[in-house]
Structures are given as C-alpha cells and as structure tokens.
Amino acid sequence: MFIQTESTPNPATLKFLPGQTVLEMGTADFPSADGASTSPLATRLFAVDGVSGVFFGTDFVTVTKTAETEWDHIKPALLGAIMEHFQSGQPVMGAGAKAVSGHADHEGPDSVIVGQIKELLDTRVRPAVAQDGGDITFHGFDRGVVYLHMQGACAGCPSSTLTLKMGIENLLRHYIPEVTEVRPVAV
C-alpha cells in the first residue's frame, strides 16, 4: 500500500491519499478526539501525539496538528496508523456511525433559495475545497445571509476568510440575487 500526502492551504493540515475509498459517500469530521470513538481510524489517528483534528472525504484523510507539533515528527506515525488501519480490514466508521452529507435542513419560505444555494455548493464549491482536504457545508440562511460550516483543512485555514468572502460570496451573489453576504459558523 502506498499512501500519498499533499499539503493544503492550511499549514496545520496535511491530506493523506491512501489510494482507496475512505468513505463511500459524505464526509466525517472529528474536530477533537471527543467524538472519535465512532471511528476506528479516527481513534487510531488521535492516538498519535500532536493530532488535533481528523476529517474523512471519499478518497482522503485530512489530519490537523497542534501548533507546537512539527509534521516531520508525526507524519511517519500517521502514515503507519493509516496503513495499519486499512490492512486490518476494520471499517473506517464503526457500526451505527454514519458519514453525513453535511448540509443542514431548512424549511420555510426560503426553501427554493436554500435549494439553489445547496446546489451551487455541491456542484461548484465542495469539489474544489475537497481538493484542498476540506469541506464547506450549508448551515443556515437568514435575511440574505448564508451561514456556512467549514471542516477539515478549511477550518482554521488562514485563507478561508478570503475564500469565503471573495470566492463563495461572489459566486452565490452572482447566481442568487437574494444572497447579500456569507458568514462562517462554528458548530
């Protein structure tokens, strides 16, 4: 098994490509070790000292490190943990745990607008941020303001504000006149 690594725009995050499917569909975000017990792979990765976050996409694993940790010190242990996991035959997600599509549900008078927002996010935004080892999902829409949740490499990335304001906000405002602003939310 050969695992490739890619840097991301977030210097605290590294993307690992194991060359096989990680999740059949959806994503799984573990911003801390607290919720990692639902995933044998996430549990294994958090056992490496210096890991502060884990995110799974369809074909990648993104790991975020603490500020005081150097990649040179933990990268070999992370590669070993990922390789051991896939060779063990264990599932990435434990029994009963599910990956999520990510978008929050929205009912009410703005449901048509929200549908358009989700469609643009799914077709134009999410594939691009997945290339960088992250995900951006719909959280809410209120009086012209779109609230988005940033995960994986996108969470805490120095360029995320620029991506949100100049990229996503401009895209949504261009196609959906009712959108006036885009803001990040912490979940």
Side-chain angles (χ1 to χ4, degrees):
M1 175 177 211
F2 179 72
I3 303 169
Q4 293 180 332
T5 60
E6 291 181 1
S7 58
T8 71
N10 183 348
T13 304
L14 197 59
K15 183 177 174 182
F16 295 84
L17 299 146
Q20 60 191 63
T21 301
V22 176
L23 292 177
E24 290 293 330
M25 58 182 290
T27 60
D29 189 25
F30 303 95
S32 70
D34 295 342
S37 62
T38 61
S39 167
L41 178 55
T43 300
R44 207 180 282 245
L45 292 169
F46 275 111
V48 176
D49 194 34
V51 172
S52 65
V54 174
F55 180 80
F56 302 143
T58 54
D59 65 347
F60 66 89
V61 174
T62 303
V63 177
T64 304
K65 67 175 185 66
T66 59
E68 57 278 351
T69 303
E70 294 294 326
W71 281 119
D72 292 344
H73 297 140
I74 66 168
K75 186 176 171 184
L78 294 170
L79 287 165
I82 293 168
M83 187 171 296
E84 285 173 18
H85 176 81
F86 282 104
Q87 289 176 340
S88 75
Q90 283 187 297
V92 171
M93 301 297 287
K98 295 207 185 318
V100 296
S101 69
H103 295 309
D105 292 330
H106 184 89
E107 303 284 326
D110 296 326
S111 60
V112 171
I113 295 168
V114 168
Q116 293 172 334
I117 292 168
K118 289 180 180 180
E119 172 77 16
L120 282 170
L121 290 174
D122 286 343
T123 58
R124 301 278 182 102
V125 177
R126 293 178 82 188
V129 295
Q131 293 288 327
D132 289 336
D135 198 10
I136 296 178
T137 57
F138 175 82
H139 186 75
F141 179 73
D142 185 36
R143 290 182 232 135
V145 179
V146 177
Y147 296 92
L148 301 176
H149 178 59
M150 305 178 90
Q151 302 172 309
C154 295
C157 177
S159 62
S160 65
T161 303
L162 187 63
T163 299
L164 217 69
K165 289 294 181 187
M166 301 307 289
I168 300 168
E169 184 175 292
N170 286 344
L171 174 79
L172 293 178
R173 289 173 65 190
H174 175 78
Y175 286 104
I176 307 167
E178 293 85 355
V179 172
T180 59
E181 185 181 357
V182 173
R183 294 183 192 164
V185 295
V187 176

